[in-house]
Amino acid sequence: MMSAMEKMAWSEVVISGTATLCALALLPWLGPGAAGAFGLLGLLPCGSWFLRRRGTAVITDERDHDNEKRATFLGILTAWQVTFMSLIAMVLWTVSQNRDIPAAWLNWLIWVQFALCYLVKGCAFLLINRRQHRATAC
């Protein structure tokens, strides 16, 4: 049985992956307007529905909070590293072509960074959580 935090992580993975795939699928038809598919990322807060308290039951514990902090760190680190390397590549390419960076590229870079952050965060939480040994009842 999955914990509430695992369900939230799965919702982050599914929503961010779906938004990215939809944006890429719409790119041939809508061009830069396909970035509108990243509006699906607005559904990310829906994952917190799994964290609602049900009576006196404990929903999350210290281990879940620690795992979420580690996963959030990995998600942000990955997104910023990809953004940084992408900006370097864009600048080097546009300078070699003697052009300016199109604004649409920067718009896409921001949305991809946002989606990547939550995708990595969700995947990292699931991996960290699955690798831990759980206490068993005797």
Side-chain angles (χ1 to χ4, degrees):
M1 185 168 162
M2 278 195 288
S3 71
M5 292 294 284
E6 282 182 292
K7 291 175 186 176
M8 188 174 92
W10 273 112
S11 70
E12 290 174 349
V13 170
V14 169
I15 291 168
S16 57
T18 302
T20 304
L21 290 176
C22 286
L24 291 174
L26 292 172
L27 190 59
W29 293 284
L30 299 178
F38 285 112
L40 291 172
L41 294 174
L43 296 173
L44 283 170
C46 293
S48 64
W49 289 342
F50 297 113
L51 302 178
R52 289 181 299 175
R53 184 171 297 275
R54 294 167 193 91
T56 60
V58 174
I59 304 300
T60 61
D61 59 6
E62 294 83 12
R63 182 182 58 219
D64 287 330
H65 292 290
D66 184 51
N67 291 349
E68 185 179 20
K69 284 181 186 176
R70 290 172 47 195
T72 301
F73 174 76
L74 290 172
I76 291 171
L77 179 72
T78 303
W80 278 108
Q81 289 297 319
V82 168
T83 301
F84 184 68
M85 298 307 282
S86 299
L87 284 171
I88 290 173
M90 276 192 244
V91 167
L92 291 176
W93 185 79
T94 55
V95 166
S96 71
Q97 301 293 316
N98 201 19
R99 297 175 47 188
D100 292 330
I101 297 176
W105 289 12
L106 298 175
N107 185 33
W108 270 83
L109 182 63
I110 291 168
W111 283 114
V112 168
Q113 173 193 2
F114 188 57
L116 181 66
C117 177
Y118 278 96
L119 182 68
V120 171
K121 177 186 176 251
C123 289
F125 182 86
L126 293 170
L127 289 174
I128 290 168
N129 207 38
R130 297 283 175 159
R131 289 184 179 172
Q132 287 183 341
H133 298 291
R134 300 202 184 334
T136 56
C138 294

